[in-house]
């Protein structure tokens, strides 16, 4: 190719490029203007919508503000009304107080005036008494002088004669006093003789007392003894404190002795020990828990014994409280004779005798069974009432027939017999008690003395429990820590010992131990 052709081609290409660029720019400019126009249109529509939304929001906010204003205004008015009401009430109280103070001031003025009048009157009377006193002294001196002139004796001589006469009178009184003391010494000697006799009787009756006041608790091996005693004896002390039973651990193989005059306590201690040994956990807290459960068990057993007894005797319709008292008789004795066995025997005798006489045998059995229920008092105050009267009162209270009540109250001739049932019960009671070997007088007096020891302790304030142990040689008294302080516990021990010394007759010595224990209990949850 020649040079001109090349130049034409290059020029054409350059021109094409320039034209293409110009055309592209014009097209791009058209698109941009179209996009700008669309954007402006969309912006205008957004602005219009924003203005509409703004107006709507503005109206809503203005409406909410008005509602809030009305609500705040109402609350403000309520507060103002409440304050006005309180102010009105306060003003009324102030007016009442002012009126009351005015009345009190008026009364105070009257009282002050009355007091001033009385003070003036007392001053006047005091002055008058002083004048009278002076006049009396002058008259007394004048009378003394006149007496000295009449008797021809001075005041000192008269005093000497008076002293001599008083000496003679004092000698007479002294002789009478000495005579009284001699008589009292004779009575004391008789009392001491009685103590010696009672001590002798008790020594002779030891075997009987042991049979009736001691239980033997058998254990599998002697290793159990150590667990029952506990570290430094704390377990055995806890058992004795909880039950009131003296526990004797000696060299007797595979046996522990439980000693107490109260058979209920002894049975509670025996069952509690059996449960503790069977369970294997023996410590003070567990001991207290088991003793409480056993006490409830014994109470239930008492009810069951009462029910079985009335069923065996064919007695129906007996009040539950009377059934419970019949059950309690199992753990009581009368002159060494078991009270429940004695009452069952009397009931059977009464039934036979009533049938022979053509009377109602069921009613007779009922009276015979209940004739001694007064011997199982439910409280310390009941022991002061004769058991026949107390039993009659309980029977009346629980709806027994008048014939039965009279038979109970009259079987010791404490009230008049009004029915044929009463002498039958009295005769059968005597037959049951008089048969050979039925009663042992020594044991009953021994048990009564131990009960009297405990009753003396219950007569003092703050005493919670009292146990007579070691055959009455020791009285263990447990007091309430809230009512009795440590110092008071010491003085209480002395007061109880003095009361026993002055009010009771007993052989040997009685040791009084007062126990005060404070416990703080909390529960972790």
């Amino acid at each position: 190719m020649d040079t001109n052709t090349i130049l034409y081609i290059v020029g054409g290409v350059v021109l094409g490029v320039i034209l293409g660029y110009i055309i592209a720019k014009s097209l791009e400019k058209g698109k941009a203007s179209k996009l700008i126009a669309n954007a402006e249109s969309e912006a205008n529509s957004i602005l219009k919508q924003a203005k509409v939304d703004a107006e709507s929001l503005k109206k809503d906010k203005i409406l909410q503000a008005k509602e809030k204003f009305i609500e705040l205004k109402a609350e403000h008015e309520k507060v103002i009304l409440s304050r006005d009401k309180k102010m009105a009430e306060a003003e009324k109280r102030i007016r009442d107080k002012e009126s009351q103070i005015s009345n009190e001031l008026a009364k105070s003025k009257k009282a002050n005036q009355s007091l001033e009048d009385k003070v003036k009157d007392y001053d006047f009377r005091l002055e008058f008494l002083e004048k009278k006193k002076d006049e009396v002294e002058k008259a007394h001196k004048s009378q003394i002088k006149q007496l000295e002139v009449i008797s021809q004796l001075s005041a000192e001589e008269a005093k000497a004669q008076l002293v001599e006469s008083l000496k003679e009178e004092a000698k007479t009184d002294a002789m009478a006093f000495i005579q009284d003391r001699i008589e009292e010494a004779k009575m004391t000697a008789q009392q001491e003789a009685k103590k010696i006799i009672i001590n002798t009787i008790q020594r002779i009756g030891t075997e009987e007392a042991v049979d009736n006041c001691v239980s033997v608790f058998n254990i599998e091996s002697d290793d159990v003894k150590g667990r029952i005693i506990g570290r430094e004896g704390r377990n055995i002390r806890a058992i004795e404190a909880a039950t009131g039973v003296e526990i004797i651990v000696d060299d007797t193989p595979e046996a522990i002795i439980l000693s107490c005059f109260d058979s209920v306590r002894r049975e509670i201690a025996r069952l509690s020990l059996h449960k503790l040994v069977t369970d294997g956990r023996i410590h003070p807290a567990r001991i207290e828990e088991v003793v409480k459960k056993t006490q409830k068990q014994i109470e239930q057993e008492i009810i069951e014994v009462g029910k079985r007894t009335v069923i065996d005797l064919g007695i129906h319709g007996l009040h539950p409280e009377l059934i419970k008292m019949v059950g309690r008789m199992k753990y009581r004795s009368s002159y060494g004779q078991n009270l429940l066995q004695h009452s069952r025997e009397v009931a059977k005798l009464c039934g036979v005798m009533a049938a022979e006489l053509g009377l109602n045998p069921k009613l007779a059995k009922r009276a015979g069974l209940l004739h001694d229920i007064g011997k199982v008092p439910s409280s310390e105050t009941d022991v002061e009432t004769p058991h026949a009267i107390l039993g009659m009162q309980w029977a009346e209270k629980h709806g027994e027939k008048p014939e039965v009540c009279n038979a109970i109250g009259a079987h010791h001739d404490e009230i008049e017999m009004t029915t044929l049932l009463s002498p039958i019960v009295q005769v059968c009671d005597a037959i049951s008690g008089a048969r050979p070997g039925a009663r042992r007088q020594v044991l009953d007096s021994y048990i009564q003395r131990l009960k009297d020891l405990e009753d003396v302790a219950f007569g003092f304030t703050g005493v919670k429990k009292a146990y007579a142990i070691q055959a009455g040689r020791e009285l263990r008294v447990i007091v309430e820590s809230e009512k009795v302080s440590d110092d008071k516990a010491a003085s209480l021990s002395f007061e109880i010992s003095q009361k026993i010394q002055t009010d009771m007759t007993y052989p040997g010595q009685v040791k009084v131990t007062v126990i005060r224990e404070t416990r703080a209990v909390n529960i972790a949850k």
Side-chain angles (χ1 to χ4, degrees):
M1 276 189 190
D2 55 5
T3 306
N4 289 330
T5 303
I6 293 169
L7 288 173
Y8 287 140
I9 291 168
V10 171
V13 171
V14 171
L15 183 61
V17 170
I18 292 170
L19 287 172
Y21 176 77
I22 292 169
I23 291 168
K25 281 291 182 181
S26 62
L27 289 172
E28 186 179 352
K29 186 176 180 182
K31 286 181 181 179
S33 61
K34 188 176 180 181
L35 288 171
I36 290 168
N38 290 334
E40 287 177 354
S41 174
E42 188 175 353
N44 289 330
S45 64
I46 290 170
L47 285 173
K48 287 179 182 179
Q49 186 64 37
K51 286 180 181 179
V52 172
D53 293 341
E55 288 295 328
S56 175
L57 183 62
K58 181 179 178 183
K59 288 178 181 179
D60 290 341
K61 290 297 181 182
I62 291 170
L63 184 60
Q64 289 178 4
K66 287 180 179 179
E67 289 176 353
K68 188 66 176 178
F69 174 75
I70 293 169
E71 184 180 349
L72 291 173
K73 184 179 178 182
E75 289 180 0
H76 182 65
E77 289 176 353
K78 285 182 182 179
V79 171
I80 290 172
L81 288 173
S82 176
R83 287 181 180 175
D84 291 343
K85 186 177 179 181
K86 288 181 180 178
M87 288 177 65
E89 290 176 354
E91 289 175 356
K92 184 181 178 182
R93 287 198 297 271
I94 290 169
R95 286 196 297 271
D96 293 341
K97 288 288 183 183
E98 288 176 350
S99 176
Q100 187 177 356
I101 290 169
S102 300
N103 293 333
E104 293 292 334
L105 286 172
K107 289 180 182 178
S108 178
K109 286 180 181 179
K110 287 182 181 179
N112 288 335
Q113 186 63 39
S114 174
L115 183 62
E116 289 177 359
D117 294 340
K118 287 182 180 179
V119 169
K120 289 179 182 179
D121 183 48
Y122 289 151
D123 290 340
F124 174 75
R125 291 185 180 185
L126 186 61
E127 185 178 355
F128 179 75
L129 287 173
E130 289 292 335
K131 290 180 181 178
K132 287 293 182 183
K133 184 179 177 181
D134 293 338
E135 293 176 2
V136 169
E137 287 180 356
K138 289 178 182 178
H140 180 65
K141 290 178 180 178
S142 175
Q143 287 177 356
I144 290 174
K145 288 180 180 179
Q146 289 178 4
L147 287 172
E148 288 178 353
V149 172
I150 293 169
S151 63
Q152 296 180 354
L153 291 172
S154 65
E156 295 297 329
E157 292 173 345
K159 284 181 182 178
Q161 289 185 3
L162 180 62
V163 168
E164 288 297 325
S165 64
L166 289 174
K167 282 182 180 179
E168 294 297 326
E169 186 177 351
K171 285 181 181 178
T172 305
D173 291 343
M175 292 300 294
F177 179 77
I178 291 169
Q179 190 65 29
D180 291 342
R181 296 285 77 78
I182 291 172
E183 293 296 328
E184 186 178 347
K186 289 180 180 178
M187 293 175 63
T188 305
Q190 291 177 359
Q191 236 177 12
E192 291 298 325
K194 288 178 182 178
K195 286 182 182 179
I196 294 170
I197 293 169
I198 290 170
N199 192 15
T200 305
I201 291 171
Q202 285 179 337
R203 287 182 179 179
I204 294 171
T206 299
E207 188 175 348
E208 289 184 2
V210 167
D211 289 339
N212 289 275
C213 297
V214 168
S215 295
V216 177
F217 177 71
N218 296 313
I219 55 179
E220 294 180 357
S221 65
D222 289 341
D223 295 338
V224 181
K225 287 185 180 180
R227 293 169 57 197
I228 292 174
I229 294 170
R231 184 182 299 171
E232 298 178 356
R234 64 174 187 172
N235 291 344
I236 202 167
R237 285 198 301 272
I239 296 170
E240 289 180 343
T243 60
V245 173
E246 184 183 5
I247 299 177
I248 302 169
V249 181
D250 53 17
D251 296 334
T252 306
E254 298 181 357
I256 292 174
I257 297 172
L258 309 177
S259 174
C260 181
F261 70 93
D262 191 328
S263 53
V264 176
R265 290 188 208 159
R266 210 163 59 241
E267 184 66 10
I268 290 172
R270 189 186 69 79
L271 290 176
S272 299
L273 271 175
H274 177 71
K275 291 179 181 178
L276 288 167
V277 171
T278 304
D279 182 55
R281 293 176 293 167
I282 307 176
H283 53 83
R286 177 66 178 163
I287 288 167
E288 291 183 1
E289 180 186 350
V290 170
V291 168
K292 287 180 181 177
K293 289 181 179 178
T294 307
Q295 286 173 345
K296 293 180 180 178
Q297 180 184 337
I298 289 292
E299 290 175 2
Q300 188 62 36
E301 184 180 340
I302 285 171
I303 296 171
E304 293 299 325
V305 168
K307 288 180 179 179
R308 285 199 302 270
T309 301
V310 296
I311 290 170
D312 290 345
L313 294 173
I315 296 171
H316 304 286
L318 204 63
H319 193 278
E321 284 298 320
L322 293 178
I323 291 175
K324 192 183 294 184
M325 290 174 189
V326 170
R328 280 203 200 106
M329 288 195 290
K330 177 184 177 183
Y331 299 101
R332 293 289 183 272
S333 62
S334 175
Y335 298 99
Q337 185 181 21
N338 183 271
L339 196 56
L340 181 59
Q341 295 301 325
H342 166 65
S343 298
R344 288 172 64 102
E345 191 174 348
V346 171
K348 291 176 181 178
L349 289 169
C350 286
V352 173
M353 194 173 290
E356 291 293 330
L357 294 172
L359 301 175
N360 187 342
K362 290 187 177 180
L363 205 61
K365 280 185 180 181
R366 199 181 193 96
L369 179 64
L370 299 177
H371 81 285
D372 268 349
I373 57 172
K375 289 185 178 180
V376 284
S378 57
S379 65
E380 299 297 330
T381 56
D382 292 338
V383 297
E384 299 175 359
T385 308
H387 77 272
I389 302 298
L390 185 61
M392 181 185 70
Q393 292 172 353
W394 283 346
E396 290 173 346
K397 178 181 177 182
H398 297 302
E400 289 298 315
K401 292 183 178 180
E403 299 96 319
V404 175
C405 297
N406 181 258
I408 294 170
H411 78 277
H412 283 312
D413 293 322
E414 283 160 332
I415 63 171
E416 184 181 356
M417 296 183 182
T418 59
T419 65
L420 285 175
L421 204 61
S422 301
I424 291 175
V425 172
Q426 187 182 51
V427 169
C428 293
D429 179 42
I431 292 171
S432 175
R435 64 178 175 79
R439 294 185 171 184
R440 283 168 277 187
Q441 302 281 346
V442 176
L443 176 63
D444 193 70
S445 62
Y446 163 76
I447 290 176
Q448 186 59 45
R449 181 168 66 85
L450 298 185
K451 288 181 178 178
D452 292 342
L453 262 179
E454 294 181 353
D455 292 341
V456 168
F458 281 119
F460 289 84
T461 305
V463 175
K464 185 179 180 182
K465 295 178 183 177
Y467 300 127
I469 60 176
Q470 294 186 5
R473 291 190 296 274
E474 181 177 354
L475 180 63
R476 190 164 293 174
V477 182
I478 300 172
V479 297
E480 300 178 23
S481 59
E482 298 84 2
K483 296 182 180 178
V484 181
S485 62
D486 287 339
D487 295 336
K488 180 63 179 174
S491 63
L492 183 63
S493 175
F494 175 75
E495 290 170 7
I496 294 174
S497 65
Q498 293 300 306
K499 182 76 171 173
I500 294 171
Q501 187 172 333
T502 55
D503 292 0
M504 293 188 65
T505 302
Y506 54 91
Q509 297 178 340
V510 178
K511 178 183 176 183
V512 179
T513 304
V514 175
I515 300 171
R516 178 180 181 270
E517 183 181 34
T518 304
R519 296 188 182 186
V521 179
N522 285 289
I523 299 172
K525 296 182 180 179

